[in-house]
Every structure is written in structure tokens, then in C-alpha cells.
Amino acid sequence: MISPLAYIDPEAKIGKNVTVHPFAYIDKNVEIGDNCTIMPYASILSGTRMGAGNTIYQGAIIGATPQDFKFKGEDTLLKIGNQNTIREKVIINRGTAQSDSTIIGDGNFLLEGVHLAHDTHVGNNCVFGNGAKTAGNCIVDDRAILGSGVILKHACRVGRWALVRDGCRSSKDIPPYIVADHNPITYYGINAVILAKEGHFPEELIDNIAKAYRQIYQCGTSLENAIRRIRELIPITSELEYMLSFIEHSGKGIIGVNI
């Protein structure tokens, strides 16, 4: 299962049924779980902790040194969960300091040329299109979709089930359940097709999410007043509570709102 033409440092820990193709590079201080596949010319660098069932394609660089002037050479970590697909030429930087790590959850799909910078946290079942990139300290919550060429600037957050269309650039947070489009990026509508397709969101809940975002983006009132009206007018389920908490605790402010 492991090609003699691959390089594996003697200190690396490799699980069961791992396939390592010719010319792959696995550094010291690396842990790879069971049933992973490492394709030719992929590099798994020091500080990487990888779960089970991951596939790393050609030319990917996993656990690269952070591109951060604050980095002083510490032994920091990149933590990857299970069943992720990481396609060609993806670059993922490990954390800058020992107090944090770059973290990738389970079941994510990173297409060709994606770059996740230092201390970025990605949840579960997210999709990153070709060439999508994050700056450092970004957060991407579960089931978010970033289209091809999307750029997230430093410390931005993307909410659950959000869809960011191709080529968008954001310096603010992108709230959950919406479609974000255009440059400058703004609210385009709710992600109703995906929400309905997955079967997790009944029609009434999707309608309530749409009503809530109409208060924020289409009623011409302040964000504070919009949130107050949402709590008064719309039944607050756990999904709506997560949405409101995301907005109320946004460190960068949300897209398309200037108040």
C-alpha cells in the first residue's frame, strides 16, 4: 500500500490500510489515520494530524508553514477530520501559535487550487470551489459552499448553509442560509433550493428564514430594529436563534448592512 518511491519520515505515524503513491512526501511529526490515500507529489508536512478516510490529490501541500509575520517557528498544528477530499494543488497552512490550530472537520470537499490560511476553522460538509481562498483566522460553518474564486479576508466568518457565488470577495461576515453575490458582495436571497433539497428544512421554516432576512435587508430599518422585529413577529426555532446569534455577535459586521 506504500510505494518505495514515496518519502516517509521514520517519525511519522501511519494508520492501517493507508495508500501512499510514488513521490509523495510525508514529513516528521505527522499522523495519518486509517484508510487514507496520498496521491503522487502530495506533501504532508510537520504538524499535520489527519483522521481516517481522507484523500489527498496530486500537488497538494498540507500543513504548510503559516504565511503570517507573527509566526516565530513554533511547532503548531493542522487538524483534519475524516472523509475529506482535498484535490490538486490545495494549500492548507497550519496554525501560527500553539494556542490555536488550523482545523478542518469531516466530509469537506476542497477543489483544485483552494488555499486555507493559518488558523482557519472549517466545519463539516463544506464545499470550496476551484481557487477559493481564505485569509487567516476565518471561520466557515457547516455545509457552507464557497464558489470558484471566492476570497475571504482576514477573520471573516461564513454561516451554515450559506452559498457564496463565484468570484465574490468579502471583508465582512456572511450570515447563514443566504446566497451572497456581486462585487461589492451583498445579500442576493436565501439559499432556498439547497435548503429544500437536503430535506432538513421544512417549507414553513424556509419561509420564516426568508421573512427574517426581509426584515434585515428589505425593510429600510436599522439592524437593531430588524432583529427586534424578527423576535416579535417570527417563531424563533433553533435555526433562527443561530441566525440571530450569528448576526448579533458578528465581529466584522454582516455583508450588505451599513448600520
Side-chain angles (χ1 to χ4, degrees), residues 1 5 17 19 43 65 78 96 100 104 127 129 217 220 222 247:
M1 304 293 284
L5 297 178
N17 300 316
T19 299
S43 296
T65 301
L78 161 63
T96 292
D100 198 3
I104 314 296
V127 177
Y217 286 108
S222 69
I247 294 169

Side-chain angles (χ1 to χ4, degrees), residues 167-236:
C168 288
R169 300 183 178 191
S170 185
S171 58
K172 291 188 173 184
D173 294 341
I174 300 170
Y177 316 126
I178 75 164
V179 176
D181 200 1
H182 305 304
N183 280 305
I185 190 170
T186 191
Y187 170 78
Y188 186 80
I190 66 164
N191 195 13
V193 173
I194 298 296
L195 296 179
K197 180 179 179 181
E198 294 291 340
H200 298 292
F201 291 77
E203 183 177 348
E204 181 179 4
L205 176 55
I206 295 172
D207 187 52
N208 284 337
I209 292 171
K211 289 176 181 176
Y213 277 115
R214 279 198 290 273
Q215 292 293 331
I216 293 171
Y217 286 108
Q218 296 171 308
C219 287
T221 188
S222 69
L223 183 58
E224 180 181 3
N225 192 47
I227 291 173
R228 180 183 61 79
R229 291 170 65 175
I230 290 168
R231 293 193 180 278
E232 290 175 354
L233 300 173
I234 301 172
I236 303 300

Side-chain angles (χ1 to χ4, degrees), residues 8-236:
I8 302 178
D9 190 278
E11 295 182 16
K13 298 179 181 179
I14 310 296
K16 299 177 181 178
N17 300 316
V18 173
T19 299
V20 183
H21 287 269
F23 313 115
Y25 177 88
I26 299 176
D27 205 352
K28 64 181 179 180
N29 190 26
V30 166
E31 298 178 10
I32 297 177
D34 299 344
N35 302 308
C36 290
T37 299
I38 313 300
M39 294 291 192
Y41 302 104
S43 296
I44 316 298
L45 302 181
S46 178
T48 299
R49 303 288 184 267
M50 187 184 303
N54 298 289
T55 301
I56 313 299
Y57 278 77
Q58 289 89 336
I61 303 174
I62 309 302
T65 301
Q67 300 179 59
D68 186 346
F69 291 124
K70 297 189 298 294
F71 180 67
K72 304 302 180 184
E74 300 94 331
D75 289 331
T76 57
L77 296 178
L78 161 63
K79 301 176 182 178
I80 299 176
N82 306 313
Q83 303 297 328
N84 295 285
T85 299
I86 299 176
R87 295 299 307 240
E88 296 83 358
K89 301 179 183 177
V90 169
I91 299 175
I92 307 177
N93 298 109
R94 56 191 170 99
T96 292
Q98 293 176 334
S99 58
D100 198 3
S101 304
T102 303
I103 300 174
I104 314 296
D106 300 334
N108 298 290
F109 201 107
L110 281 59
L111 278 72
E112 181 270 332
V114 168
H115 181 197
L116 303 182
H118 64 88
D119 304 296
T120 289
H121 292 183
V122 176
N124 304 314
N125 302 301
C126 297
V127 177
F128 289 76
N130 296 314
K133 301 180 186 299
T134 76
N137 299 100
C138 289
I139 299 173
V140 181
D141 289 348
D142 296 349
R143 296 185 179 273
I145 300 173
L146 277 63
S148 297
V150 167
I151 295 176
L152 296 183
K153 297 187 179 181
H154 183 265
C156 287
R157 183 182 180 191
V158 180
R160 297 175 196 159
W161 298 94
L163 168 61
V164 188
R165 286 185 169 173
D166 295 357
C168 288
R169 300 183 178 191
S170 185
S171 58
K172 291 188 173 184
D173 294 341
I174 300 170
Y177 316 126
I178 75 164
V179 176
D181 200 1
H182 305 304
N183 280 305
I185 190 170
T186 191
Y187 170 78
Y188 186 80
I190 66 164
N191 195 13
V193 173
I194 298 296
L195 296 179
K197 180 179 179 181
E198 294 291 340
H200 298 292
F201 291 77
E203 183 177 348
E204 181 179 4
L205 176 55
I206 295 172
D207 187 52
N208 284 337
I209 292 171
K211 289 176 181 176
Y213 277 115
R214 279 198 290 273
Q215 292 293 331
I216 293 171
Y217 286 108
Q218 296 171 308
C219 287
T221 188
S222 69
L223 183 58
E224 180 181 3
N225 192 47
I227 291 173
R228 180 183 61 79
R229 291 170 65 175
I230 290 168
R231 293 193 180 278
E232 290 175 354
L233 300 173
I234 301 172
I236 303 300

